[in-house]
Amino acid sequence: MTAKVKAACHAAEAGIPVVITSGFTADGILRVLQGQRVGTLFHRDAHLWYSVQVKEHGACKMAVSARDASRVLQGLSSVDRRKILLDVADALEANEERIRKENEIDVYIAKETRISEALISRLMLKPGKISDLAKSLRVLADINDPIGQVVKRTEISDGLILEKTTCPLGVLLIIFESRPDALVQIASLAIRSGNGLLLKGGKEAARSNAVLHKVIVEALPKSVGPELIGLVTSRDEIPDLLKLDDVIDLVIPRGSNKLVSEIKESTKIPVLGHADGVCHVYVDKAADLDMAKRIVLDAKTDYPAVCNAMETLLVHEALMKTGGLNELILALETAGVRLYGGTKASDLLKLPKAISFHHEYGSMACTVEIVKDVLEAINHIHEHGSAHTDCIVTEDRDVADVFLCRVDSAAVFHNASTRFCDGARFGLGAEVGISTSRIHARGPVGVEGLLTTRWLLRGTGQVVNGDHGITYTHKDCPLNYRNETSKNLDVANGGSSVVPSSHTDLANGCDLKT
Amino acid sequence: MTAKVKAACHAAEAGIPVVITSGFTADGILRVLQGQRVGTLFHRDAHLWYSVQVKEHGACKMAVSARDASRVLQGLSSVDRRKILLDVADALEANEERIRKENEIDVYIAKETRISEALISRLMLKPGKISDLAKSLRVLADINDPIGQVVKRTEISDGLILEKTTCPLGVLLIIFESRPDALVQIASLAIRSGNGLLLKGGKEAARSNAVLHKVIVEALPKSVGPELIGLVTSRDEIPDLLKLDDVIDLVIPRGSNKLVSEIKESTKIPVLGHADGVCHVYVDKAADLDMAKRIVLDAKTDYPAVCNAMETLLVHEALMKTGGLNELILALETAGVRLYGGTKASDLLKLPKAISFHHEYGSMACTVEIVKDVLEAINHIHEHGSAHTDCIVTEDRDVADVFLCRVDSAAVFHNASTRFCDGARFGLGAEVGISTSRIHARGPVGVEGLLTTRWLLRGTGQVVNGDHGITYTHKDCPLNYRNETSKNLDVANGGSSVVPSSHTDLANGCDLKT
């Protein structure tokens, strides 16, 4: 193999492209000649060839175009980006009839194919839904522009000012199931945060998604172009998209645990989401028992199918003697919850054994186990949980603090239901998802999860020169501070003679925040 | 295949573990029986089996132990974590003789095997180096504790307070080359940020690394244990470690571009680093030419081998007529820089053609190209750059702002050398690395790149109850605000009667910041 690779490198250096591919597939060479990406390409400009090839393919071309359009979008002024959201809101209302007709056909077909009632209810755009969506777009238009915010400002040296500013991630791939209103919410978040977007919705909602997508991209300004938001219609294109880790920056699957796990398994692009939500409530010996019952019931029964519902109840062993354990069990059983026991609890309470401690029922069922104390509870959570949301119920402030400090989960609660773990309830505005990853964003994620930062440095000719070029000051500056070199910044928004007129919109848009 | 999988699921549900593996390898079954991870394991507790198997392997066991120890470390008080750093500093000084002897042997062997002078110089711990390292440990001990900082505080409802607080990422895998002092710096950053750590250093520095590692872990308190910092000695263990995306949270390769690329290719764990640094300086028609020469020379020649050195010089076409282009070329050639041209520049200036615009020379050489205006420069940078650091030299504030706003790189500079893109020069303290990823951290990364956040919610029994359980207030609270339910928090640090005495250290350590 080494000899082959060396030969390929020599040829490539001389400008002759070489593909090395497996001899075991009969059609390997034919497929290469048809322009398919088979084997390994050797050429000094291979990274560019790759982009060119990519641009020739459907879904992949979409990703590249979305990035280009997003770069234009982030160059617009805050005012212009706000106007896009308002235009989209107006377009939705103006096309309500058209949207509802397509949605009715989707619902009709779904009923014919005997899809479950629950799915049909999620699929249907109920009366008033379109104007609700338009309303939420107008709310989003009026929030502070998330892009271009200065989060840190430092004077490096006299006249050399460093700023860390927020900017879009780039291109998002969002895969969602069933609910067509999700398309509008996601698209509006992407526009607000300046990101390009590829959307893949559920098959059942194909017509609704198509018309919503059309209405939205038609409302985008020409300078940005409809390519900002691509609608992927075939499931077959997903594997190709998941390979584009140099063009797509973040994948957000919104759907079943299975969907999230499958996507995490099959891509190197960072995935924002949670594969499972095995949430625990630990009832301490010092718990207020009425409160414990209230929290445990809410955590399990308020919405048993969601990720922030309780799946395991851990009870301090002291509550066996006081009768507290029995009260909790009775409350759950009365509410219709099927109980399964860990080793200790199944013996003691004659419960059927739980399949595994790492089990998400997603229904009116849960696991119960007895623990010696808060530390055993913490160990249990670390060993069997999914680091999503875990809760302690206790009146003992010290024990609560041990739990809050040591449980290594995205959300850790004291005396409050696990169901609160949600972007809207946390006051984050629109929720992008809940992340159990530890990188980038964790727990419920709002629009800030769609942003990254850039470092902007403005100087007056400073050089490093072996670190003798300047005298470092490293002074933190207030975020509303601007140094002399930038005092004319407002003028920048007034247009620029250097920029060809066809690009004037963009040049005007550079409203670096002050 | 479906039938096989169904059968395996049935058996697994009944408690019988099943492995499905390829029939094409002769020894598949034998390897399964030897406990190797071949094929797909079906069992209801498969995720636990996996951990057990992992724990039986050398390097993998290290990762799991490091996570356990890191959980203890982050449970310690800020005071205790500070003391660890001071103890390590003392231990280094106390063992200086022992460390220097081992280092001398490494250097001796390196000289025998005719390793380059440059590498030997990096390998050698020069006199005073140990006390310098100890000094920087003491500085790090005295910075604000990065863990447990409240970055956001919200009143969700009356008596229900949400805090977003910083916490360690978990376990870091750092792969570094040659320089043994890097081991001390990395270990001290990990301790400061509460992370577990696996270290893999260069073969040439094996003895130096071993003794430094030993001295450091011997100085760790027993409660945390020496497993906090694992030293991986064999290169063969790296592939196994790179598979542990459920135990290792971040990989930081510190070394050549090749090393970074290889690691990015072979793992699903997020990688903090930059595979290449193709940095541009664009000299605009409105540039101060003396300043342009100064910046271009510094960007290319101050340290040509590093990632923030200029690789491509883009020049506005107007400078062809004014003679500015010739001045820049002459300055570079006089300084000994070999020049290669893009299509336009090679014709005009009779320069040899550059191999590719996406080329990192890493030496006293660079590419030159002529562009029409700032927008063509920006397009060139987007198409061929590596989104590391790009600079514009111009006196025209408007053009500068277009460049700063639109260039989509980790660092974008106006009238300052690209060489400033560096953690120390940015005033971030110790540098963890420079990231060209857009997720988690971007550009030079300080200790904050080793942190994530957790959401802590403190209530008084609140439940969601279909969102009728409470009245949402969603008030931003000042970060030094604490509500009634937490006023006794200081007491938490005084110890807890609930926690068994062997764990008292940990319980005392829960110093949630106010």
Side-chain angles (χ1 to χ4, degrees):
Chain A
M1 192 68 187
T2 319
K4 281 180 215 148
V5 171
K6 270 193 186 162
C9 289
H10 282 302
E13 276 300 303
I16 299 160
V18 178
V19 173
I20 296 186
T21 182
S22 167
F24 288 107
T25 57
D27 61 346
I29 294 179
L30 288 177
R31 287 168 65 201
V32 169
L33 292 175
Q34 283 159 5
Q36 290 185 36
R37 284 173 50 214
V38 176
T40 307
L41 171 66
F42 291 77
H43 189 266
R44 54 194 188 191
D45 281 329
H47 74 289
L48 290 180
W49 280 47
Y50 171 65
S51 317
V52 173
Q53 287 192 339
V54 158
K55 283 187 190 186
E56 284 162 9
H57 285 80
C60 304
K61 183 176 173 188
M62 268 189 192
V64 175
S65 307
R67 176 174 295 278
D68 291 344
S70 81
R71 283 186 171 144
V72 179
L73 178 62
Q74 62 187 286
L76 296 186
S77 72
S78 183
V79 174
D80 289 343
R81 271 196 305 272
R82 176 172 177 273
K83 187 171 175 300
I84 297 177
L85 289 166
L86 298 177
D87 289 348
V88 171
D90 294 346
L92 285 172
E93 286 181 336
N95 289 279
E96 177 160 6
E97 206 39 44
R98 187 176 155 203
I99 296 165
R100 295 217 19 214
K101 271 194 184 140
E102 295 295 316
N103 184 245
E104 277 163 17
I105 301 176
D106 276 340
V107 172
Y108 176 80
I109 297 171
K111 281 182 179 166
E112 288 291 298
T113 49
R114 299 201 194 152
I115 280 178
S116 75
E117 271 306 308
L119 266 183
I120 288 172
S121 141
R122 286 160 62 89
L123 178 56
M124 198 184 303
L125 290 169
K126 295 182 185 68
K129 191 71 201 176
I130 298 293
S131 56
D132 281 356
L133 286 171
K135 208 180 292 168
S136 66
L137 268 159
R138 292 183 185 116
V139 170
L140 198 60
D142 283 334
I143 65 166
N144 276 341
D145 193 339
I147 310 179
Q149 297 294 332
V150 178
V151 293
K152 185 181 165 83
R153 184 177 280 128
T154 312
E155 184 199 87
I156 303 282
S157 179
D158 188 36
L160 188 61
I161 304 292
L162 179 69
E163 286 178 352
K164 189 178 187 179
T165 67
T166 59
C167 66
L169 278 178
V171 177
L172 318 172
L173 168 61
I174 303 197
I175 300 169
F176 62 106
E177 291 178 342
S178 203
R179 208 170 253 186
D181 44 325
L183 185 148
V184 181
Q185 288 159 355
I186 295 162
S188 50
L189 282 170
I191 296 171
R192 199 64 187 106
S193 57
N195 283 287
L197 181 61
L198 299 183
L199 283 164
K200 170 72 181 75
K203 192 171 65 191
E204 325 74 59
R207 283 171 165 270
S208 315
N209 287 338
V211 68
L212 286 168
H213 175 252
K214 198 157 192 296
V215 167
I216 292 170
V217 297
E218 281 172 0
L220 296 175
K222 270 194 198 132
S223 61
V224 174
E227 296 83 5
L228 181 75
I229 302 173
L231 186 68
V232 180
T233 48
S234 153
R235 214 182 158 77
D236 300 344
E237 290 175 297
I238 299 286
D240 275 350
L241 286 168
L242 291 177
K243 278 179 205 145
L244 297 177
D245 58 322
D246 53 344
V247 191
I248 297 174
D249 299 288
L250 189 67
V251 183
I252 309 181
R254 296 183 67 155
S256 66
N257 298 354
K258 196 168 148 274
L259 176 76
V260 180
S261 304
E262 280 173 7
I263 287 170
K264 281 196 173 176
E265 271 312 301
S266 50
T267 187
K268 296 180 75 173
I269 307 172
V271 177
L272 193 155
H274 53 280
D276 40 22
V278 181
C279 301
H280 299 74
V281 176
Y282 163 61
V283 179
D284 187 52
K285 71 168 175 183
D288 170 332
L289 210 67
D290 283 334
M291 184 196 288
K293 275 190 277 185
R294 203 161 64 235
I295 287 175
V296 164
L297 281 178
D298 190 72
K300 182 69 258 184
T301 69
D302 186 56
Y303 195 166
V306 291
C307 61
N308 60 17
M310 177 186 82
E311 303 296 344
T312 302
L313 170 65
L314 299 174
V315 182
H316 191 290
E317 62 180 13
L319 298 187
M320 293 195 293
K321 287 177 208 158
T322 62
L325 175 61
N326 285 334
E327 277 191 58
L328 288 167
I329 297 295
L330 187 64
L332 282 167
E333 285 180 336
T334 308
V337 178
R338 293 184 312 284
L339 300 177
Y340 298 89
T343 321
K344 287 191 206 168
S346 61
D347 281 359
L348 189 79
L349 301 166
K350 310 281 174 256
L351 295 174
K353 275 213 171 166
I355 299 180
S356 155
F357 278 132
H358 186 82
H359 186 69
E360 190 170 355
Y361 296 92
S363 64
M364 288 287 274
C366 75
T367 305
V368 182
E369 186 54 314
I370 318 286
V371 292
K372 212 169 50 141
D373 57 17
V374 65
L375 292 172
E376 197 174 300
I378 293 169
N379 287 339
H380 182 107
I381 290 167
H382 285 163
E383 188 162 1
H384 303 287
S386 61
H388 189 296
T389 302
D390 299 294
C391 165
I392 183 172
V393 184
T394 186
E395 294 301 293
D396 186 323
R397 192 70 48 81
D398 298 348
V399 175
D401 284 329
V402 169
F403 191 88
L404 287 171
C405 168
R406 296 199 52 204
V407 173
D408 196 11
S409 300
V412 193
F413 293 180
H414 173 213
N415 289 352
S417 167
T418 54
R419 291 273 298 126
F420 282 109
C421 188
D422 167 276
R425 296 190 189 109
F426 273 14
L428 304 180
E431 181 178 282
V432 171
I434 295 183
S435 167
T436 50
S437 155
R438 305 171 71 98
I439 292 291
H440 185 61
R442 200 171 181 207
V445 182
V447 74
E448 82 286 352
L450 305 182
L451 301 173
T452 179
T453 52
R454 295 187 306 148
W455 295 95
L456 303 182
L457 182 68
R458 293 181 177 83
T460 47
Q462 287 86 348
V463 293
V464 167
N465 187 22
D467 282 319
H468 306 298
I470 59 169
T471 308
Y472 291 95
T473 53
H474 290 148
K475 268 189 260 176
D476 270 346
C477 305
L479 296 184
N480 56 359
Y481 166 90
R482 225 161 225 302
N483 77 324
E484 186 62 16
T485 61
S486 304
K487 70 179 173 187
N488 292 324
L489 235 152
D490 291 342
V491 180
N493 296 333
S496 160
S497 61
V498 166
V499 179
S501 60
S502 66
H503 293 281
T504 312
D505 286 351
L506 308 181
N508 290 350
C510 295
D511 61 339
L512 298 153
K513 293 287 167 307
T514 49
Chain B
M1 193 66 188
T2 319
K4 279 180 216 146
V5 171
K6 271 193 186 164
C9 289
H10 282 302
E13 277 299 303
I16 298 159
V18 178
V19 173
I20 297 186
T21 182
S22 167
F24 289 106
T25 57
D27 60 345
I29 294 179
L30 286 177
R31 287 167 66 200
V32 170
L33 292 173
Q34 283 159 6
Q36 291 185 37
R37 285 172 50 214
V38 176
T40 308
L41 171 65
F42 292 77
H43 189 267
R44 55 194 188 191
D45 282 329
H47 74 288
L48 289 179
W49 280 47
Y50 172 64
S51 316
V52 172
Q53 286 191 340
V54 158
K55 282 187 190 186
E56 284 162 8
H57 286 79
C60 303
K61 183 176 171 187
M62 267 189 192
V64 175
S65 308
R67 176 173 295 279
D68 290 344
S70 82
R71 283 186 171 144
V72 179
L73 177 62
Q74 63 188 283
L76 295 186
S77 72
S78 182
V79 175
D80 288 344
R81 271 195 305 271
R82 176 173 177 274
K83 187 171 176 302
I84 297 177
L85 289 165
L86 299 177
D87 289 349
V88 171
D90 294 346
L92 285 172
E93 287 181 335
N95 288 279
E96 178 160 5
E97 206 41 43
R98 187 176 154 201
I99 296 164
R100 294 216 20 216
K101 271 194 183 142
E102 295 295 317
N103 184 245
E104 278 162 15
I105 300 176
D106 276 338
V107 172
Y108 176 82
I109 296 171
K111 282 181 178 165
E112 288 291 298
T113 50
R114 298 198 196 155
I115 281 178
S116 76
E117 270 306 307
L119 266 183
I120 287 173
S121 141
R122 286 160 63 88
L123 178 57
M124 199 184 303
L125 290 169
K126 296 182 185 67
K129 189 72 202 174
I130 298 293
S131 56
D132 282 354
L133 286 170
K135 208 180 293 169
S136 65
L137 268 158
R138 291 183 186 117
V139 170
L140 199 60
D142 283 334
I143 65 166
N144 276 341
D145 193 339
I147 310 180
Q149 296 295 332
V150 178
V151 293
K152 184 181 166 82
R153 183 177 282 129
T154 312
E155 184 200 86
I156 303 282
S157 178
D158 188 36
L160 187 62
I161 304 293
L162 179 70
E163 286 178 352
K164 189 178 187 179
T165 66
T166 58
C167 66
L169 278 178
V171 177
L172 318 172
L173 168 61
I174 304 196
I175 300 169
F176 61 107
E177 291 177 342
S178 195
R179 210 171 251 184
D181 43 326
L183 186 148
V184 181
Q185 287 159 356
I186 295 163
S188 50
L189 281 170
I191 297 169
R192 199 64 187 106
S193 56
N195 284 288
L197 182 61
L198 300 184
L199 284 164
K200 169 73 180 75
K203 190 171 68 192
E204 324 74 60
R207 283 172 165 270
S208 314
N209 288 337
V211 67
L212 286 167
H213 174 254
K214 198 156 193 295
V215 168
I216 292 171
V217 298
E218 280 172 0
L220 296 175
K222 270 194 198 131
S223 60
V224 174
E227 296 84 5
L228 181 75
I229 302 173
L231 186 68
V232 180
T233 47
S234 154
R235 212 180 161 80
D236 300 342
E237 290 175 296
I238 300 286
D240 275 349
L241 286 168
L242 291 178
K243 280 181 206 144
L244 296 178
D245 57 325
D246 54 343
V247 191
I248 296 173
D249 298 289
L250 189 68
V251 183
I252 309 181
R254 296 183 69 155
S256 66
N257 298 355
K258 193 165 150 279
L259 175 75
V260 180
S261 303
E262 280 173 6
I263 287 170
K264 283 196 172 176
E265 272 311 303
S266 50
T267 187
K268 296 180 72 173
I269 307 172
V271 177
L272 194 156
H274 52 280
D276 40 21
V278 181
C279 300
H280 299 74
V281 175
Y282 163 61
V283 179
D284 187 53
K285 72 168 175 185
D288 170 332
L289 209 68
D290 282 334
M291 185 196 287
K293 275 189 278 185
R294 201 162 65 235
I295 287 177
V296 164
L297 280 178
D298 190 72
K300 181 69 256 182
T301 68
D302 186 55
Y303 195 166
V306 290
C307 60
N308 59 16
M310 177 186 81
E311 303 297 344
T312 303
L313 169 65
L314 298 174
V315 183
H316 192 290
E317 61 181 15
L319 298 187
M320 292 193 295
K321 288 178 207 158
T322 61
L325 174 61
N326 285 333
E327 276 192 58
L328 288 166
I329 297 295
L330 187 65
L332 282 166
E333 284 180 338
T334 308
V337 178
R338 292 184 314 283
L339 300 177
Y340 298 88
T343 321
K344 289 190 205 171
S346 62
D347 281 358
L348 187 80
L349 301 166
K350 310 280 174 260
L351 294 173
K353 275 213 172 166
I355 300 180
S356 154
F357 278 133
H358 186 82
H359 185 72
E360 190 169 356
Y361 296 91
S363 64
M364 288 287 273
C366 75
T367 304
V368 181
E369 185 55 314
I370 318 287
V371 292
K372 211 168 54 142
D373 59 16
V374 66
L375 292 172
E376 196 174 301
I378 293 169
N379 287 339
H380 182 108
I381 291 167
H382 285 163
E383 188 162 2
H384 304 287
S386 61
H388 189 298
T389 302
D390 299 293
C391 165
I392 182 171
V393 184
T394 186
E395 294 300 294
D396 186 325
R397 193 70 47 80
D398 298 348
V399 174
D401 284 329
V402 169
F403 190 89
L404 286 171
C405 169
R406 298 200 50 206
V407 172
D408 196 13
S409 299
V412 192
F413 293 179
H414 173 213
N415 288 352
S417 168
T418 55
R419 290 274 299 127
F420 281 109
C421 188
D422 167 276
R425 296 190 189 109
F426 274 13
L428 304 181
E431 182 178 279
V432 172
I434 295 184
S435 167
T436 50
S437 156
R438 305 171 71 96
I439 293 291
H440 186 63
R442 201 171 181 208
V445 183
V447 75
E448 82 286 352
L450 305 181
L451 301 174
T452 180
T453 52
R454 294 188 308 147
W455 295 95
L456 303 182
L457 181 68
R458 294 181 177 85
T460 47
Q462 286 85 349
V463 292
V464 167
N465 187 23
D467 282 319
H468 306 297
I470 59 168
T471 307
Y472 290 95
T473 53
H474 289 150
K475 268 190 260 176
D476 270 347
C477 304
L479 296 184
N480 56 359
Y481 165 89
R482 226 161 224 299
N483 78 324
E484 187 62 13
T485 61
S486 303
K487 70 179 176 187
N488 291 324
L489 234 150
D490 291 343
V491 180
N493 296 333
S496 160
S497 60
V498 167
V499 179
S501 60
S502 64
H503 294 280
T504 312
D505 287 350
L506 308 182
N508 290 350
C510 296
D511 62 339
L512 299 153
K513 292 289 167 308
T514 49

